[in-house]
Amino acid sequence: MKFQLKLTYLAILASLSSYAHTSVAADNSETEAQENIEQIVVTGSFSGKAIRKDEASFAISSFTDEDIQKMSPKSTADLFKAVPGVWAESSGGVSGANVFVRGFPGGGDAPFLTVQLQGAPIFPPSTLSFLENSTLFRLDETVEFMEALRGGPNPVISNGQPGLTTNFLLKEGSDDTEGLIKYSTSDYGLQRIDGVLSGSLAEDLYFMVGGYFKSSPGVRDAGFDAEEGQQFTINLTKELDNGKINLYTRITDDHGVWYLPAPLNVDTVDNEYVQIGTNNRQATVQYGPNSTSEAFDFGDGRGWNGSVTGGSIDLSFDNGWDLVDRFIYTKGDADTYGLVPNGDPTQLSNVADSGSTATGAVTGTEYAGSTMVQQIGRWVVKKQIESFTNDFILTKTFEDVSVTAGYYNSTFKAKDWWALGNQAYHVVESGGEMLTGIDCNDNQDSCGWNYDINSIGEGTTQALYTAISYEISDDLTIDAGLRGENHQIEYTVDEGLDGKITKAVSYDESSTAWTVGANWMFADQMGVFARINDGSKMPYFDDFRDNFGAYESGEDLIKEVSQYELGYKLVDDDFELFATLFMNEVKGDTFVRQPGAPGEILTNEAYGIEIDFNYFNDNGFSVNLNSTIQETEITESPTNEGNEAQRQPGWQVRVTPSYDIELDNGMYATLYGTISAVGERYANNENTVTLDGYEKVDLGVLFNFTDEVQVQLAVSNLTDEEGLTEGDPRSSISSNGRYILPRSIDLSLSYAF
């Protein structure tokens, strides 16, 4: 890697520290900034108990429900863009995002992301094929807070995620009964009702219930209600003299079109193009050795129809003993129905049987030979998942030392049925129909490849972990943690749907993770932290199918992750600054270009700096600057050694100003916006396809008529930028690419009581 860039990062940190010494106020008065840095966080603590943010020896970001409201995210993954060190591609719609963390490698989905609810992982495997964690969680008015932890103690605690853990905390009731009802609409036909109600059921027993109903044709108009869903959540909290007990359940049925790469060399295609439409949503595919035919509605897209139920017990006892137990049960269907491009578009005359025209299979329209057509695959993935996780933590606190012991246990299952490929030529236009008069459309199972499977996988992860934290002085704390984990997988695959098992896995491996950290507050409002950790990402079902040859030859398929962090934090009277230098290495990463193709095994390194800066004053003005600069390199690869990691920008920055305006008669408004900019990236590990950088502008206003009535207007992608988040991951030489979502306008009216 470039040593000069490393020196640049160190110089940035040194200059920040030098500035801090000249700017910190002399008095110890409590300021708004001090209150902010001392806010409570719960994610990442060994004990499972809440700690002050300034005591954390790791990089963590936190977002209130008001912060989330201003961001107006179109999906859960859209919210992750506000987290330093994270590159989130939410251009796939409400589900199916790609999330990258601090230069960690990946070709799609979110292999190094765990989504937690109330401190427990919703589904322990961070990624299965066609399923990443953010798909299983929908944002609504029941969410109180989100915390995002990168690196830090992650490899030791909970499910041992070495990358990013996002933890969503639900609202809880109080002695006062209160609620909110909100109606939302948009320029793309959104109809949505949200509601939440909370209060007291009995003395020290509180409730919160809420949810939503919604429907819309989608930001890219499919011509029918392509995004539909509802969700219901109930959260019960019992306050005790020495702690509390919490129980919750969240039932979701929500799906939306899976937006895929579009052909970029066709004049009629822009960022509003979508493959799905009325004329192609219903299609029949053939699968299996007997070419069985079955019709599917591809308008169902990707989504989640299931439930998440869990709870926690949080107790404190005499003599410094604390107990926390968190449990969660997840079950449901996460199906995918997608229209996937296969190769470049071409003129109809090049593939039509007549050498010129062909006919629309639905409308009967005769299309001219100059019409652009493209192979579109009708992909079907049926996925049933189930998991149960329990995380038990016991902590003993002495005068200056805390000792923690934990036991993590999870079981998880996935049943998959796939019919992939099924390509046929379609007209290149939004909702373009399939054609007749093309031989492979009319007389073959597919114009390209097919890959069909039926698989069953079950797994168990058990881990014992221990940690010690020593408060050397009021300003200096050191900690260390150790985790021993056993991971077992039983998995069988029928490739071809002929009833014959082609791959069988019986896996039992163990690994060890550790972390060492220190936090030093060397001034009243200023400090540093340092941390080293060594963890792993264990293989799950698809890792074995994609790398079966390596497994049979004795490879354990464990991704080994080493990380180094050096952080700086400063709070002054009107600003706060968090800056984190990071370096990491991931050994044994695999990239699979196309389902059924062999995996490529890589080692990646990355280093960079994350900056999270907030300024605020008494005049109602505030601004957040969130920036990441990083350098990535593939250090071991059969063909791509020395190249940069695919799909990850060398730099990105988000600036979010906000201004409060007091109006007459007690009314007030908040103007806010976000300017995002991202540098160029490579679409592939070969570094032969470059994705240009782009800028995106979002604007919004919150207008409060009274304390009860509020109107919000939010404009996303104001300038209608046509930035690309990826090329074609299945064919790097094709001209396909996935646009960010086009301009959209959302309007909501809420009443609080």
Side-chain angles (χ1 to χ4, degrees):
M1 294 187 179
K2 301 178 180 65
F3 183 68
Q4 183 178 1
L5 190 53
K6 293 183 181 179
L7 292 177
T8 301
Y9 293 149
L10 293 174
I12 291 173
L13 194 63
S15 64
L16 294 173
S17 179
S18 175
Y19 169 72
H21 282 291
T22 62
S23 63
V24 175
D27 61 62
N28 295 326
S29 61
E30 190 81 18
T31 65
E32 180 182 359
Q34 185 67 28
E35 291 174 356
N36 201 349
I37 197 173
E38 290 184 354
Q39 68 185 5
I40 298 301
V41 295
V42 298
T43 310
S45 70
F46 291 120
S47 66
K49 295 280 189 176
I51 61 173
R52 287 186 353 185
K53 191 172 181 179
D54 66 327
E55 295 176 346
S57 54
F58 44 82
I60 185 167
S61 300
S62 52
F63 305 88
T64 67
D65 55 345
E66 294 179 353
D67 296 328
I68 296 171
Q69 181 185 18
K70 289 181 181 180
M71 294 173 198
S72 302
K74 290 291 192 295
S75 64
T76 303
D78 212 22
L79 177 59
F80 300 157
K81 295 176 182 178
V83 181
V86 174
W87 170 244
E89 298 176 351
S90 57
S91 52
V94 297
S95 299
N98 304 312
V99 182
F100 302 89
V101 186
R102 283 184 172 177
F104 282 33
D109 294 317
F112 292 99
L113 165 70
T114 290
V115 174
Q116 292 184 346
L117 179 58
Q118 301 287 83
I122 291 178
F123 191 56
S126 53
T127 287
L128 300 179
S129 290
F130 304 101
L131 177 64
E132 41 77 39
N133 269 200
S134 76
T135 290
L136 305 177
F137 188 84
R138 297 293 189 274
L139 293 167
D140 63 13
E141 295 296 326
T142 65
V143 173
E144 177 76 19
F145 215 69
M146 184 194 83
E147 296 175 345
L149 169 65
R150 290 90 66 198
N154 260 340
V156 170
I157 60 176
S158 189
N159 66 328
Q161 170 62 262
L164 171 68
T165 294
T166 59
N167 184 17
F168 290 89
L169 305 177
L170 297 174
K171 293 178 179 176
E172 297 181 356
S174 65
D175 290 327
D176 298 324
T177 300
E178 55 187 11
L180 178 142
I181 186 167
K182 182 168 76 172
Y183 168 72
S184 301
T185 187
S186 70
D187 64 338
Y188 54 90
L190 171 67
Q191 300 292 306
R192 174 169 174 150
I193 296 290
D194 283 81
V196 62
L197 178 69
S198 64
S200 174
L201 294 172
E203 184 177 359
D204 297 327
L205 178 61
Y206 305 105
F207 76 94
M208 184 278 296
V209 295
Y212 67 83
F213 299 90
K214 73 163 190 178
S215 68
S216 85
V219 179
R220 297 186 174 116
D221 189 2
F224 59 92
D225 280 342
E227 295 184 359
E228 295 184 301
Q230 57 271 334
Q231 181 167 266
F232 176 75
T233 302
I234 182 169
N235 189 31
L236 301 175
T237 304
K238 173 63 176 177
E239 296 286 352
L240 306 173
D241 292 339
N242 64 334
K244 70 177 182 179
I245 298 174
N246 173 244
L247 296 171
Y248 61 86
T249 189
R250 192 173 183 88
I251 302 170
T252 308
D253 184 1
D254 192 300
H255 67 85
V257 167
W258 182 24
Y259 298 134
L260 287 143
L264 305 178
N265 58 356
V266 179
D267 293 339
T268 57
V269 172
D270 57 18
N271 61 2
E272 294 187 355
Y273 171 84
V274 58
Q275 281 89 0
I276 197 74
T278 302
N279 291 336
N280 63 27
R281 63 179 292 185
Q282 289 183 278
T284 298
V285 301
Q286 296 179 330
Y287 56 83
N290 299 320
S291 297
T292 303
S293 296
E294 185 174 350
F296 296 94
D297 180 4
F298 290 86
D300 287 341
R302 294 183 75 160
W304 166 237
N305 183 6
S307 63
V308 179
T309 301
S312 64
I313 302 171
D314 187 338
L315 302 174
S316 296
F317 302 100
D318 295 335
N319 301 317
W321 288 96
D322 292 287
L323 180 152
V324 175
D325 187 75
R326 299 188 180 112
F327 53 92
I328 189 168
Y329 174 71
T330 299
K331 184 177 182 179
D333 298 328
D335 297 340
T336 293
Y337 302 90
L339 300 184
V340 184
N342 187 53
D344 284 324
T346 186
Q347 286 193 348
L348 174 58
S349 58
N350 294 329
V351 295
D353 293 346
S354 66
S356 57
T357 65
T359 304
V362 175
T363 66
T365 301
E366 184 176 4
Y367 290 92
S370 60
T371 303
M372 298 303 294
V373 299
Q374 185 179 31
Q375 285 188 22
I376 299 292
R378 284 75 57 88
W379 289 22
V380 178
V381 175
K382 297 180 180 180
K383 187 182 295 284
Q384 300 175 3
I385 65 169
E386 183 178 5
S387 69
F388 178 77
T389 298
N390 191 85
D391 192 7
F392 176 83
I393 307 167
L394 187 64
T395 300
K396 168 63 174 175
T397 301
F398 301 93
E399 183 175 356
D400 300 318
V401 177
S402 293
V403 179
T404 295
Y407 173 61
Y408 171 88
N409 184 30
S410 71
T411 59
F412 42 89
K413 304 176 183 178
K415 294 183 178 180
D416 280 41
W417 187 96
W418 299 5
L420 306 187
N422 309 304
Q423 282 84 204
Y425 282 99
H426 289 65
V427 177
V428 178
E429 63 182 11
S430 286
E433 63 181 318
M434 191 183 78
L435 299 169
T436 62
I438 301 175
D439 179 63
C440 66
N441 279 19
D442 300 333
N443 303 311
Q444 300 178 29
D445 293 350
S446 174
C447 293
W449 53 273
N450 282 346
Y451 184 63
D452 306 332
I453 69 168
N454 185 10
S455 68
I456 300 175
E458 297 190 14
T460 301
T461 299
Q462 299 181 76
L464 288 171
Y465 58 92
T466 184
I468 184 170
S469 179
Y470 176 36
E471 188 176 328
I472 297 176
S473 67
D474 291 341
D475 304 322
L476 178 61
T477 302
I478 60 174
D479 64 69
L482 181 67
R483 175 190 183 95
E485 176 177 303
N486 178 256
H487 187 70
Q488 300 180 28
I489 296 290
E490 300 293 327
Y491 180 55
T492 54
V493 187
D494 164 13
E495 292 178 304
L497 302 180
D498 57 2
K500 299 178 181 178
I501 301 302
T502 57
K503 295 174 181 177
V505 173
S506 185
Y507 181 86
D508 187 340
E509 292 286 345
S510 297
S511 68
T512 301
W514 58 266
T515 184
V516 177
N519 186 67
W520 179 29
M521 298 300 294
F522 55 82
D524 291 330
Q525 298 168 299
M526 180 166 43
V528 295
F529 70 84
R531 180 165 297 277
I532 304 174
N533 69 48
D534 189 88
S536 62
K537 181 180 183 297
M538 303 297 280
Y540 292 93
F541 312 127
D542 305 281
D543 297 303
F544 294 101
R545 188 191 63 253
D546 293 335
N547 304 279
F548 192 70
Y551 164 71
E552 283 193 309
S553 67
E555 296 288 337
D556 60 20
L557 303 183
I558 299 174
K559 299 177 178 65
E560 299 176 359
V561 182
S562 300
Q563 299 183 79
Y564 306 85
E565 298 172 86
L566 177 62
Y568 174 82
K569 42 198 169 184
L570 163 67
V571 172
D572 207 341
D573 292 333
D574 54 4
F575 73 88
E576 61 180 18
L577 170 67
F578 300 88
T580 305
L581 290 168
F582 62 88
M583 296 181 63
N584 57 60
E585 180 184 62
V586 181
K587 294 182 178 180
D589 180 67
T590 57
F591 171 63
V592 178
R593 194 172 303 279
Q594 179 174 290
E600 304 168 22
I601 300 178
L602 314 168
T603 294
N604 281 56
E605 291 183 1
Y607 60 89
I609 184 171
E610 305 165 350
I611 297 175
D612 192 357
F613 173 81
N614 291 283
Y615 170 80
F616 30 79
N617 62 31
D618 296 334
N619 298 322
F621 176 74
S622 65
V623 63
N624 169 259
L625 169 65
N626 164 2
S627 181
T628 303
I629 305 171
Q630 67 180 13
E631 184 78 14
T632 65
E633 182 180 351
I634 301 172
T635 57
E636 294 182 22
S637 167
T639 57
N640 298 316
E641 187 171 318
N643 290 350
E644 294 184 16
Q646 64 176 324
R647 307 257 291 275
Q648 300 206 43
W651 64 270
Q652 57 177 316
V653 60
R654 287 170 56 94
V655 180
T656 305
S658 179
Y659 183 58
D660 298 328
I661 305 172
E662 292 188 12
L663 305 172
D664 295 335
N665 302 321
M667 296 185 291
Y668 61 95
T670 301
L671 301 175
Y672 63 91
T674 298
I675 303 173
S676 306
V678 58
E680 66 180 25
R681 296 132 287 138
Y682 289 111
N684 56 353
N685 284 331
E686 290 76 19
N687 290 184
T688 57
V689 179
T690 300
L691 302 173
D692 292 334
Y694 62 87
E695 299 79 37
K696 179 173 174 280
V697 179
D698 305 320
L699 291 178
V701 59
L702 289 164
F703 187 83
N704 290 74
F705 289 93
T706 66
D707 290 339
E708 294 82 19
V709 179
Q710 182 184 82
V711 173
Q712 181 180 16
L713 178 68
V715 183
S716 178
N717 195 5
L718 177 68
T719 60
D720 208 23
E721 177 76 17
E722 294 187 344
L724 295 175
T725 62
E726 64 176 279
D728 188 336
R730 286 157 290 278
S731 176
S732 61
I733 62 174
S734 80
S735 61
N736 300 314
R738 182 149 58 180
Y739 288 112
I740 62 175
L741 297 181
R743 178 174 51 235
S744 62
I745 303 173
D746 291 83
L747 177 69
S748 67
L749 171 65
S750 62
Y751 176 74
F753 56 90

